Amino acid sequence: MKAIGLNTYGGPEVLQVVDLPEPRPGTGEVRVRVRAAAIAPVDALMRTGAFAAAHEGLEIPFVPGMEVSGVLDAVGPDAELEPGLAVGDAVVAFVDFAGAHGGYSDHVAVPAASVTRAPAAASFPEAASFLSNALTARNGLDALALEPGSTLLVTGAAGSVGGYLTQLGTHEGLRVVALAAESDEDLVRSFGATDFVARGENAAQRVRDLFPDGVDAVADGADLGDGIVSAIRDGGQIASFRGYTGDPGRGVRIHVMNVFDRATDYAAISRLRELVEEGALSMRVSRVLPASEATEAHRVMESGGTRGRIVLEFPVQKTDT
């Protein structure tokens, strides 16, 4: 099968079309014929060698990609499918590429618990756009475990993870304070944010101007770390998605999140799909490119400023339904 992989770490130019054996689903696994794969910042980290220690001893090429949509085309032994799901159905899947082969592939084998049916009426690029970001947000909110009415400051609220933090937090009755570029105020308010603070110098103090005692928690989608902890009340919390190592003091609790911990959390994955179907979560696609243009897709992502996912589209094959 064809995949987009890398034989050496480096910039976007190291991505290339590679040939790999077609995977067979093992025990408890299913295989997905990939039709779309979203581009994520973690894919770029893999490409540049951030996970080199995990790859030690594995054979090249390495294939990025942690969220795909496509067609369920094979079921392994003892795989427990979602009720009503069958071979030939459109699905979305979370891909844990801790081994070497992620979702930029014609086919991918994943645990059945990492798969749910695609949202009703969604295109393949749309279906590939939400899962990993929404699951990352779900992970952070579950760690914070805030009561309805609590104040949650979301940094990077217009970004991919921040948008889902805002939407999920609003859906669960939190008072969401969005920190984003001034030009994104209308966007983050459309996600449900009730309060807005423009990013930039003294942002934490401007949050304190609105909430003199501080907010109950920060979901730090923009990785501001020490630059935002002073906005949190004494005894509050911060959820970090990129490994905050500071010491805020004042009894502030730190949660360092890793979305791969939820890779087989079927209940969370399927519920997120339901929330998309209910209109509580959006599918955000900024651009669709052929899989053969993965290098360009990575360059566009790293240039910044995109709102929503860049998605690679894989060609239709005769076996697709």
Side-chain angles (χ1 to χ4, degrees):
M1 70 170 185
K2 299 296 183 182
I4 307 298
L6 52 126
N7 292 306
T8 185
Y9 299 121
E13 68 280 355
V14 303
L15 295 169
Q16 58 184 286
V17 177
V18 298
D19 288 302
L20 291 172
E22 189 173 288
R24 295 185 177 182
T27 300
E29 292 185 331
V30 299
R31 187 176 66 193
V32 177
R33 164 68 181 109
V34 177
R35 292 292 309 279
I39 304 289
V42 71
D43 299 344
L45 290 175
M46 179 195 189
R47 191 200 71 226
T48 57
F51 304 138
H55 291 161
E56 189 172 353
L58 300 177
E59 292 186 6
I60 56 174
F62 304 138
V63 178
M66 59 190 296
E67 58 187 332
V68 301
S69 66
V71 177
L72 183 68
D73 78 345
V75 180
D78 300 323
E80 186 174 344
L81 296 182
E82 179 177 275
L85 192 63
V87 169
D89 288 345
V91 296
V92 295
F94 184 92
V95 183
D96 184 348
F97 57 52
H101 295 161
Y104 296 6
S105 308
D106 283 341
H107 290 87
V108 64
V110 295
S114 299
V115 176
T116 188
R117 69 177 182 270
S123 68
F124 285 114
E126 287 171 336
S129 71
F130 76 94
L131 185 54
S132 73
N133 286 323
L135 192 58
T136 299
R138 177 75 277 153
N139 204 22
L141 291 174
D142 286 349
L144 295 170
L146 297 170
E147 295 292 329
S150 300
T151 49
L152 173 69
L153 173 63
V154 176
T155 71
S160 296
V161 172
Y164 288 109
L165 284 163
T166 303
Q167 290 178 328
L168 284 170
T170 298
H171 184 263
E172 292 165 13
L174 303 181
R175 180 173 180 178
V176 177
V177 185
L179 180 65
E182 188 170 357
S183 59
D184 286 322
E185 180 174 0
D186 288 345
L187 175 64
V188 297
R189 288 193 183 276
S190 76
F191 295 155
T194 56
D195 301 270
F196 175 80
V197 175
R199 71 186 184 193
E201 191 175 354
N202 300 320
Q205 181 55 56
R206 286 183 278 118
V207 173
R208 282 282 187 162
D209 291 341
L210 292 175
F211 303 92
D213 294 330
V215 295
D216 293 311
V218 168
D220 195 14
D223 195 31
L224 300 183
D226 286 336
I228 202 63
V229 292
S230 62
I232 306 170
R233 66 168 174 82
D234 293 355
Q237 305 177 76
I238 181 170
S240 170
F241 304 96
R242 301 185 190 178
Y244 174 58
T245 58
D247 180 12
R250 303 183 292 111
V252 173
R253 289 171 287 163
I254 302 170
H255 307 276
V256 177
M257 314 309 305
N258 185 343
V259 69
F260 290 104
D261 293 339
R262 308 295 288 273
T264 56
D265 188 342
Y266 167 74
I269 289 169
S270 60
R271 179 57 183 149
L272 291 169
R273 184 258 306 153
E274 291 172 353
L275 289 172
V276 169
E277 293 180 327
E278 293 168 11
L281 297 181
S282 58
M283 295 179 289
R284 303 174 64 195
V285 177
S286 65
R287 187 171 177 183
V288 180
L289 292 170
S292 59
E293 296 183 23
T295 292
E296 174 63 12
H298 272 237
R299 285 177 177 148
V300 172
M301 178 185 67
E302 293 187 324
S303 69
T306 57
R307 294 291 177 260
R309 282 298 205 213
I310 301 167
V311 179
L312 299 179
E313 197 165 35
F314 285 76
V316 177
Q317 294 188 358
K318 289 187 297 182
T319 56
D320 289 335
T321 58

